[in-house]
Amino acid sequence: NFLKKLQNFIFQEKLLEQGNKVVIGISGGPDSIGLALALKSLQSKYALKLRLAHINYHQRGKDSDRDEQFVRNFADKNDLELEVIQYSKLTDSGNLEEQMRDFRYQKFEQIRKKLKFNKIAVAHHLDDQAETFLMNLLRGSGLQGLTGMSSKREFLIRPFLGFTKKDILGFLKESQQKYCLDKTNFETDLTRNKIRLKLIPFLEENFNFNIKEGLGKLTANLQVENQLNQFYVDKIYADLIEEKDSKVIWNISSIEKVPIGAQKRLFPKTTSTISEELKNSSNNNFLEFKKILESQKSKKQTMRIGEITLGKSGECVIFRRVK
């Protein structure tokens, strides 16, 4: 039943095609072991070529090495090729979790390109989606933040996004497949863990036993709305904003007629056009920019975000990259 439902989800979301070559991110935990086992079971049906990719972050001492050895044994047992990458900390500043996530996806993409594969599969599921939604809701995120994770984005696919953790554990039990457990997932000092271990059980017990499935439907609906909004933002950008000689030019009188919600989306779209590193410019950046846009002062006003400067010149705002 699990594999049949998985095939239906893959078909509905158009995640796999015949002959696809897939890099599978595998940690040794139940989710990624379940994903590798499921795709191995469907390998002949889709004529898939599979390659496992494991990253040893060396953050949990002997447990990290235990997970690596477990994955090596799993790969051997299931006749799957495996690449193991050793994590090296990029910088001492910033959020370690974000650094490790960026490192992970960067390495998966490098492997995909090196092997000329066309998919990267990761094991996010409905529980993860519910946690992400609630975490972003508590932070006060807008529509884009509340849409959560999508089942596919460019080369990345999430075949388990229609399943709960309980579903995956049931599949593993039925398959008599062992897995590793990360003890840090049961510590409540991290916000995500606190949501998983305290908030969601409280909501299930007191409000909605199927809260994860409900939030999954909600995020799916929000993704549809988000796609519609982005369609119109892209059209406004094409109609009203000019790209010229490594600069992006906003005509103030035209942009002022655009709803504020669209302006908020046009701003990061503009900054990312000039610098890929600024695809997620903050709301504070936009508010500072809005003051310049609406200012009646005659003197030239400028601001800088990373490697981008923008300044008001006559009836225009000009964005350019600092050399």
Side-chain angles (χ1 to χ4, degrees):
N1 282 343
F2 181 87
L3 290 175
K4 189 176 286 187
K5 289 177 182 177
L6 179 60
Q7 288 179 65
N8 288 338
F9 186 78
I10 288 170
F11 175 76
Q12 290 167 4
E13 300 294 315
K14 298 180 175 61
L15 301 185
L16 289 174
E17 298 169 1
Q18 286 291 318
N20 274 170
K21 299 175 181 179
V22 188
V23 176
I24 305 172
I26 185 165
S27 67
D31 308 334
S32 61
I33 289 290
L35 178 62
L37 192 65
L39 291 182
K40 173 68 177 176
S41 301
L42 299 177
Q43 187 171 18
S44 58
K45 179 177 179 61
Y46 289 96
L48 301 175
K49 188 171 179 62
L50 304 174
R51 180 72 65 97
L52 304 181
H54 174 78
I55 297 174
N56 187 336
Y57 294 103
H58 300 284
Q59 299 297 309
R60 295 179 292 118
K62 291 180 180 179
D63 284 354
S64 294
D65 295 330
R66 175 210 63 182
D67 291 356
E68 179 185 324
Q69 189 57 53
F70 181 88
V71 169
R72 288 184 184 277
N73 295 340
F74 175 85
D76 289 341
K77 181 182 176 183
N78 290 278
D79 194 26
L80 290 167
E81 294 185 74
L82 168 69
E83 301 225 10
V84 175
I85 302 101
Q86 307 300 326
Y87 173 69
S88 52
K89 203 171 180 182
L90 301 178
T91 174
D92 289 329
S93 61
N95 184 293
L96 180 60
E97 289 288 328
E98 290 180 5
Q99 283 188 46
M100 291 194 296
R101 181 195 63 208
D102 292 344
F103 180 89
R104 176 166 65 247
Y105 285 113
Q106 181 188 67
K107 291 301 177 184
F108 289 169
E109 177 63 6
Q110 286 176 3
I111 293 169
R112 186 194 69 78
K113 285 182 175 178
K114 179 184 74 175
L115 299 175
K116 296 186 167 120
F117 275 30
N118 44 24
K119 303 282 183 181
I120 297 169
V122 292
H124 294 122
H125 46 72
L126 269 177
D127 293 44
D128 296 320
Q129 186 78 298
E131 292 163 18
T132 300
F133 174 86
L134 291 169
M135 191 158 60
N136 288 337
L137 179 69
L138 294 172
R139 288 172 175 168
S141 295
L143 175 61
Q144 287 174 290
L146 296 178
T147 56
M149 298 173 285
S150 58
S151 61
K152 62 179 177 180
R153 189 187 74 240
E154 296 180 336
F155 302 107
L156 186 73
I157 60 171
R158 295 183 172 97
F160 276 2
L161 208 54
F163 298 85
T164 63
K165 180 87 164 194
K166 184 179 178 181
D167 296 330
I168 298 165
L169 292 175
F171 169 64
L172 289 169
K173 184 177 181 181
E174 186 180 317
S175 305
Q176 296 184 320
Q177 174 61 57
K178 295 181 179 179
Y179 49 84
C180 298
L181 285 176
D182 182 349
K183 289 181 285 189
T184 63
N185 287 333
F186 300 94
E187 298 170 358
T188 55
D189 53 336
L190 295 174
T191 301
R192 181 178 285 276
N193 287 6
K194 204 176 291 184
I195 288 171
R196 179 191 309 127
L197 299 171
K198 293 188 175 183
L199 179 56
I200 289 179
F202 176 81
L203 294 172
E204 287 175 327
E205 184 178 346
N206 294 280
F207 294 94
N208 181 0
F209 180 73
N210 295 313
I211 188 71
K212 296 165 190 171
E213 290 86 347
L215 292 179
K217 291 176 184 176
L218 173 59
T219 54
N221 289 332
L222 291 176
Q223 285 171 16
V224 172
E225 297 295 327
N226 191 49
Q227 289 168 4
L228 176 64
N229 288 352
Q230 194 59 48
F231 174 83
Y232 285 107
V233 167
D234 291 343
K235 189 176 187 312
I236 292 168
Y237 186 95
D239 290 345
L240 300 183
I241 292 176
E242 180 183 4
E243 295 181 11
K244 181 179 179 182
D245 300 330
S246 303
K247 295 181 289 188
V248 178
I249 302 169
W250 285 29
N251 181 282
I252 295 172
S253 60
S254 298
I255 292 297
E256 283 179 336
K257 297 172 185 175
V258 173
I260 185 71
Q263 290 182 21
K264 286 185 76 170
R265 290 203 175 200
L266 287 169
F267 184 72
K269 182 174 175 64
T270 300
T271 57
S272 65
T273 298
I274 301 172
S275 172
E276 178 64 21
E277 295 177 7
L278 287 170
K279 61 183 176 182
N280 295 318
S281 50
S282 71
N283 186 57
N284 287 337
N285 293 147
F286 173 74
L287 293 175
E288 186 181 351
F289 163 73
K290 195 82 169 72
K291 290 178 183 177
I292 293 176
L293 191 68
E294 296 174 345
S295 174
Q296 301 298 316
K297 295 178 181 178
S298 57
K299 69 176 184 177
K300 187 175 181 181
Q301 297 177 69
T302 62
M303 66 176 282
R304 179 168 176 166
I305 312 169
E307 56 187 4
I308 292 177
T309 61
L310 57 95
K312 195 171 182 180
S313 178
E315 288 301 308
C316 298
V317 175
I318 301 173
F319 297 73
R320 56 165 59 88
R321 189 170 185 160
V322 180
K323 294 182 180 179

